[in-house]
Each structure stands twice: as structure tokens, then as C-alpha cells.
Amino acid sequence: MLGQVLLAASGSRLVRRSVSGFPLTRRVVDRFVAGESVPEAREAILRLLGTGLSVTVDHLGEETRDAGDAAAIAKAYLTLLEELRPLELGRAAEVSVKLSAVGQALDEDLALEHARAICAAAAAGGSTVTLDMEDHTTVDSTLRILRELRREHPSTGVAVQAYLHRSEDDCRALAHEGSRVRLVKGAYREPATVAYQSKADVDKAYVRCLRILMAGKGYPMVATHDDRLISITELLADRHGRSRGDYEYQMLYGIRTDRQEALAGAGHTVRVYVPYGADWYGYFMRRLAERPANVAFFLRALGGK
């Protein structure tokens, strides 16, 4: 119930103003967001890489409804990638892109144009791009854009949200040679007509999707902090003869850092999702909705403890 309330709040302009304007909020946001500028993001990236982790970097922003704003976000990605290129980080540092941030709600072709430029800049630095998945109304559009991007940049990845009823079919279609798929549970407020609602049902759906991806010929990117799902991943990898280089784990910046480092220390590729930028509110509220422990952390900070 609390998660649903927080997801609803993530779309409220009134709550956004209240939360964003509260002085102590920044203390909590800093746990989940790697600053607002490219230098701050760069510092966080290098620190994580220094501990043996990989990264995927997200410039925060979504649901852009102005062409100028969409172009500005695309330019922010190009600036970040230009900053990272001399470091020769290659696949250790990729980027994640929300298509709604670069104009998807305005014009699918506009979003494709911006995404194509970002993919080209990533490829110039030996890296790649993963498309984030957003609410269920954008899935078909995102998959169409993915198909177009993969014509020139076949390593372009995409996220699939396990809680959507359609996702098992999407996983089957995407589990082919060279296809990079990030499997997440899902973090948007969706109706029961399109998405599983209970935690137990979402977890079961995640495992079903994971089985499809691990049995396929693509490259699964297992986005979870759940120890039980990590154990299931290992069992499935063993069953399907996958080595540790044939899949990876992905976890969020600031969450379970000890687990991230332990998995990396055991020889796994662990990629940390590193968000940065000023438009942090929607991302922050979804992180609170996902785990009660995050809410407790927020309340303790507000109490000054």
C-alpha cells in the first residue's frame, strides 16, 4: 500500500514542490543520485570503477514535452560521453536513456534521432546504450525505436519490466544472439489489467522471464538486489551452461553497496545504475516505493538521526 502511495506521489506536482523544497531532502537524495553535474557524475563513476564495478549512467529526466528540453537532455548525454571518451573506459561505462526524456511523447522520430546520436557517441568511445523502459503505454514505441537503433548499433540494450503481463512474450522475442536485455521488476504505477500487483506475483513473473532469458542466446542483465533472485540466477546460469561472462548483475547506485562489491569480488560483472542531474524527483520517489528500508532511511534523515 505504501509503495502505491509513493508511486502516485511521484506524479504529483504539489508533492514534488513540497519534497524538493525541503532542506533535508538533499541529504537523502545524495544517497541515490550521483550529483547534478558531469564532474560529480564523473567522480562517482571513477570511484565505482576503482572498486571493480561497472556502470551505466542515466541523465535524469522524463516525460519531456518540449522539443528544446529534449534536445538539451540529448546534448547532456553527448557532453558526458565526450568527457568520458579520453578515459578509454569502454564497456565498463555505458549509458542508460529514457526515451521520454528525449522527445518520445512529442514525436517518436525525434526520440529516435536523439537516441541515434547518443548511440553513435557511445560507440565512438567503445561503449553502448541501454534503453530504459517506462510505463506500459510506451513499450511498443520503445521496442520500435530499439529495432531501428540496432540496425546501426546492434549492441543497444533494452529493459524489460517483469510485472507487465506481456513481458514473457517480449523476453522470448528478445532472447536472441547478441541481444542485451536488462530484466527489472518494474517501478511505475500500472493497472491490474496490464501488470501484476502483488509482490509475490511480481517475483514469480520475474523468475519466469529470467528463465526465458537465461535459456536464450542473448545477454541477460539481471537487475535485482534480492538475494533469493540472485541465487536463482546462479542456478539457471549453471543449468544453461553460462559462464560469469555470459550475463551480468545490475544494481542501483547507493543500494546494497556491500552486495555489489561482494559479487564483483567473486568474479561477476556488476553494473551500477548511476543517475545524475537536477531532475531527480521522479526517480527518487520510485526508489522509496521499491523498498520500505529506503523510506525508513528517508524518515531518519528528516528526523536528523
Side-chain angles (χ1 to χ4, degrees), residues 50-73:
T51 64
L53 299 164
S54 298
V55 299
T56 182
V57 188
D58 170 32
H59 183 275
L60 291 168
E62 52 193 90
E63 297 184 10
T64 301
R65 298 189 179 275
D66 177 86
D69 291 341
I73 290 175

Side-chain angles (χ1 to χ4, degrees), residues 39-190:
E40 289 173 315
R42 183 181 185 275
E43 180 181 349
I45 291 165
L46 293 178
R47 175 171 50 80
L48 290 165
L49 293 177
T51 64
L53 299 164
S54 298
V55 299
T56 182
V57 188
D58 170 32
H59 183 275
L60 291 168
E62 52 193 90
E63 297 184 10
T64 301
R65 298 189 179 275
D66 177 86
D69 291 341
I73 290 175
K75 184 176 180 180
Y77 274 104
L78 300 181
T79 300
L80 172 69
L81 289 164
E82 183 66 26
E83 178 78 13
L84 296 180
R85 190 176 304 161
L87 303 178
E88 298 183 345
L89 303 176
R91 290 290 184 90
E94 65 163 52
V95 296
S96 289
V97 176
K98 285 182 174 61
L99 291 173
S100 75
V102 294
Q104 187 178 34
L106 295 168
D107 180 358
E108 191 172 302
D109 287 339
L110 176 65
L112 172 60
E113 176 186 344
H114 288 317
R116 186 177 280 131
I118 295 168
C119 285
S127 188
T128 189
V129 173
T130 295
L131 302 181
D132 286 331
M133 195 62 77
E134 302 177 70
D135 73 82
H136 76 278
T137 65
T138 68
V139 175
D140 287 328
S141 171
T142 298
L143 293 177
R144 282 194 297 270
I145 291 173
L146 175 71
R147 286 192 290 271
E148 289 302 313
L149 292 173
R150 283 183 169 178
R151 294 178 189 275
E152 299 175 58
H153 305 285
S155 65
T156 305
V158 69
V160 172
Q161 299 177 113
Y163 71 169
L164 295 180
H165 297 159
R166 61 174 289 169
S167 290
E168 288 177 65
D169 288 337
D170 287 336
C171 284
R172 290 187 186 93
L174 290 163
H176 56 79
E177 188 74 34
S179 178
R180 299 169 59 255
V181 180
R182 174 196 296 150
L183 183 63
V184 302
K185 288 186 178 180
Y188 292 82
R189 190 184 185 193
E190 299 285 17

Side-chain angles (χ1 to χ4, degrees), residues 262-278:
L263 284 168
H268 292 283
T269 297
V270 180
R271 192 175 302 276
V272 181
Y273 188 97
V274 180
Y276 83 99

